[in-house]
Each structure stands twice: as C-alpha cells, then as structure tokens.
C-alpha cells in the first residue's frame, strides 16, 4: 500500500516514471532509493535519536535484570514464530486465489438458494476484497493478540500502541507528516499510470456506496497493519532489542510490499523506520494509521477525479 516514504520516493523519481529501457537508466532507478536513504538518514536521526536512546537504555536495563535473575525472556521467540505463522497463512489463504477457488463457489451456492441477498454479478469484486480485508484484520490483530495473551497474561494489550494519550500529546507530528506528504501525493497523481492503479477496487465509480465500502475495508486493513507492525512487533521486542526492534520490524514490513512497484517496496523501509520511531515516541499507533488512511483516501479520490470517474449516484444501478 502506498505510504509516506514511497510517495516521496515516487515523487522524487518524477511523474510517470517507468521501467527504463537502458542498462544505465535501470541502474539509476535501482540505486535511487540508496541515495534517498542517505539523504533521509540525518532527518530521521534528528527527529528520533532521543527516542532510540531511551529505548536502548531501557532494553539494557531489562536485559541486566533478566540475566541477574537467571531467567529467560520468551517474547522474541513467541513474536517471531507468530509472525512467520501469520504471514504464511496470509500468503496461502488470504489472497484472491483462495477466494476464487473456495469461497466464491460457496457464495454461488448460497446465491442459487436465494440466501443472504448475495449477488455475485454485482458484488463479486467487493466480496473478494472483503475476504482480503478480513484476513488482514484477523491475522494482524486477533491471532497475535490471542497468542500473546495466552503466553504473557500479565501484559496489557493496550501497551501495543492502542492508548490514545500519547497520540494526543504528539498530534502535531501527524500534521507535519501531512504537510510533507500531501504535496508529494499531488505530484505523483500526475503520473499517467496513477489513474489506472488506484483505487484497487475498480467499481468505486459505480456509486458512493461502493466507494465507502471499499474505503472502510481499506482503512480496516491499514489499522490492522499498524497494530501488527508498530504495535505488536515493537511492544514485543522493545525490551529485548531496544531501538533495534524498529529496524528489525522493517524487514518483514518491506517484504509484504513485494509484488508492488519497486519504489513503493523500497520506500517501505524508510516508512517503517519513521512510523516505527513515531509509534515508540508517542507510545501510540494512531499517528501512523492516520497518515496511512489520509494518503490512501487522497490517492483514491485524486485517481478518480483525474479520469472524471468520481461517483455520481448514491447506490448505483
């Protein structure tokens, strides 16, 4: 999904940037994120060096007490195994193929029986995205929280960045992120490929109801994504790895973007560092969530607007 850093990288690469036909241009595109990482590193260091220091100090103190007590912290082992399970299940059972091969035939049978108002001819694509959103919410939120609570009963799930207090105190950072990313989104929206890529649900133009249903699913999976990577991951590893938890989280976060445009996948590295550091600084995932959904909604609306495809009907035909 398009996020802050990938938007900035795409904007810097230029509107309508395509795969280059020459070896030199291809190499330039491939190495462009490296230059962007180097340019952005001092900015990230300036904003978050204090947060990283606090995390490292707390982690060293926790490790000292753990070693002195002769105990073992099982949190990293539980977290990594849970992550492998969640991502594997989503890869094999959370995609379009599973829906088409297993769920769609079931829905077709229900439709033949006149059950539940199912209409595959009209809503098939939306049903497919509904399954995709459900698997993300269930996999990223329900599964890790259930496992964590079983293994660590004394831990509060609200400590996974779900408290509002930290967000309200640092809400200005959300505004700063938007001040940077909104102009970049507007620039990227001029790309000739932009209008055909977004929204992912191609029936959004049919009605405002279609658009609203899609955006609710889209927002739900963004929230689940933040809970998993900036909540579950960082709260589970902060006392063991300190600031290293943020950079470790960037590895699977970048990898879930594989298959998307190169600059988007490369941008996920910087986005993961920035949003992870922000979550640790505010002790809340809500800034990252709001940045994600604001950018996503703006991208969808701009794409529809540029091709004159904004809905004109409330419910559609």
């Amino acid at each position: 999904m398009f996020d802050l850093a990938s938007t900035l990288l795409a904007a810097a690469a230029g509107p309508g940037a395509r795969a280059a036909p020459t070896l030199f241009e291809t190499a330039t595109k491939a190495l462009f994120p490296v230059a962007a990482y180097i340019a952005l590193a001092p900015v990230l260091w300036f904003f978050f060096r204090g947060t990283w220091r606090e995390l490292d100090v707390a982690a060293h103190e926790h490790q000292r007490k753990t070693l002195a007590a002769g105990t073992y912290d099982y949190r990293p082992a539980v977290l990594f195994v849970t992550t492998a399970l969640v991502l594997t299940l989503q890869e094999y059972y959370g995609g379009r193929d599973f829906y088409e091969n297993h769920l769609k035939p079931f829905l077709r049978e229900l439709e033949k029986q006149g059950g539940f108002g199912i209409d595959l001819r009209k809503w098939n694509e939306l049903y497919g995205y509904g399954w995709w959103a459900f698997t993300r919410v269930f996999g990223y939120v329900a599964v890790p929280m259930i496992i964590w609570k079983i293994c660590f009963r004394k831990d509060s799930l609200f400590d996974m960045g779900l408290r509002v207090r930290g967000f309200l105190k640092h809400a200005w950072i959300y505004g700063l992120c938007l001040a940077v990313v909104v102009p970049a989104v507007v620039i990227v929206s001029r790309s000739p490929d932009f209008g055909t890529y977004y929204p992912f649900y191609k029936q959004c133009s049919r009605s405002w109801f279609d658009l609203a249903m899609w955006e609710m699913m889209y927002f739900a999976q963004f929230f689940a994504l933040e809970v998993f990577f900036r909540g579950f991951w960082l709260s589970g590893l902060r006392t063991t790895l300190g600031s290293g938890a943020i950079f470790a989280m960037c590895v699977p976060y970048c990898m879930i973007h594989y298959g998307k445009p190169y600059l988007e996948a490369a941008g996920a590295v910087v986005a993961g560092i920035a949003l992870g550091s922000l979550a640790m600084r505010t002790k809340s995932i809500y800034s990252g969530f709001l940045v994600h959904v604001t950018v996503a909604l703006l991208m969808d609306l701009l794409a529809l607007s540029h091709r004159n495809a904004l809905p004109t009907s409330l419910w559609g035909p």
Side-chain angles (χ1 to χ4, degrees):
M1 302 305 169
F2 231 99
D3 50 39
L4 175 60
S6 51
T7 301
L8 294 174
L9 285 176
R18 296 174 180 269
T22 68
L23 178 61
F24 174 77
E25 291 171 339
T26 301
T28 300
K29 178 182 177 180
L31 294 176
F32 174 76
V34 178
Y37 294 163
I38 294 172
L40 290 171
V43 178
L44 294 171
W45 172 255
F46 175 79
F47 275 104
F48 297 117
R49 66 187 187 279
T51 301
W52 297 344
R53 172 67 178 174
E54 291 176 7
L55 290 170
D56 289 340
V57 170
H60 280 297
E61 180 63 17
H62 173 78
Q63 289 296 310
R64 184 187 67 78
K65 292 180 179 180
T66 300
L67 292 173
T71 57
Y72 182 79
D73 189 351
Y74 293 95
R75 285 173 176 79
V78 172
L79 183 141
F80 286 122
V81 172
T82 300
T83 298
L85 172 65
V86 167
L87 296 184
T88 302
L89 285 172
Q90 290 187 353
E91 176 67 22
Y92 287 93
Y93 298 103
R96 189 77 185 186
D97 288 343
F98 183 82
Y99 168 78
E100 291 288 339
N101 295 330
H102 298 281
L103 297 182
K104 186 176 178 180
F106 174 72
L107 293 176
R108 184 178 293 113
E109 289 300 317
L110 290 180
E111 183 181 21
K112 290 178 181 178
Q113 298 171 17
F116 304 101
I118 295 171
D119 186 349
L120 283 171
R121 184 182 62 84
K122 184 175 183 179
W123 302 112
N124 179 58
E125 186 182 3
L126 193 63
Y127 294 156
Y129 278 116
W131 171 248
W132 166 76
F134 168 77
T135 59
R136 267 52 190 175
V137 173
F138 185 78
Y140 284 149
V141 180
V143 172
M145 285 192 172
I146 291 172
I147 292 176
W148 201 258
K149 201 60 180 175
I150 291 173
C151 296
F152 309 106
R153 296 183 180 181
K154 294 183 179 180
D155 287 10
S156 172
L157 297 180
F158 284 101
D159 289 336
M160 293 184 180
L162 298 178
R163 302 186 189 278
V164 179
R165 181 177 52 196
F167 165 68
L168 296 177
K169 182 179 178 181
H170 298 87
W172 64 271
I173 301 178
Y174 167 67
L176 178 63
C177 289
L178 288 187
V180 174
V181 75
V182 168
V185 171
V186 174
I187 294 173
V188 173
S189 71
R190 299 171 184 171
S191 166
D193 293 335
F194 180 87
T196 58
Y197 193 69
Y198 294 100
F200 295 135
Y201 175 47
K202 300 310 178 186
Q203 298 298 324
C204 283
S205 300
R206 185 167 55 187
S207 71
W208 288 106
F209 176 78
D210 282 274
L211 180 59
M213 291 297 295
W214 159 246
E215 296 300 342
M216 284 192 292
M217 294 177 186
Y218 206 20
F219 290 3
Q221 69 85 31
F222 274 127
F223 179 74
L225 194 76
E226 291 300 318
V227 170
F228 188 72
F229 286 104
R230 258 68 76 176
F232 171 70
W233 252 75
L234 297 185
S235 68
L237 292 178
R238 62 185 298 167
T239 57
T240 305
L241 299 183
S243 63
I246 297 170
F247 299 93
M249 174 270 295
C250 290
V251 177
Y253 182 65
C254 173
M255 293 175 71
I256 66 169
H257 290 73
Y258 289 174
K260 296 179 173 62
Y262 170 69
L263 290 177
E264 184 170 351
V269 176
V270 179
I273 296 171
L275 294 176
S277 301
L278 181 59
M280 289 293 92
R281 178 170 177 172
T282 63
K283 296 180 173 60
S284 168
I285 65 167
Y286 297 114
S287 291
F289 168 65
L290 289 175
V291 169
H292 261 126
V293 298
T294 301
V295 171
L297 179 61
L298 184 59
M299 297 285 275
D300 282 354
L301 293 177
L302 283 173
L304 292 171
S305 177
H306 287 342
R307 63 176 188 260
N308 296 316
L310 284 170
T312 58
S313 168
L314 180 61
W315 298 106

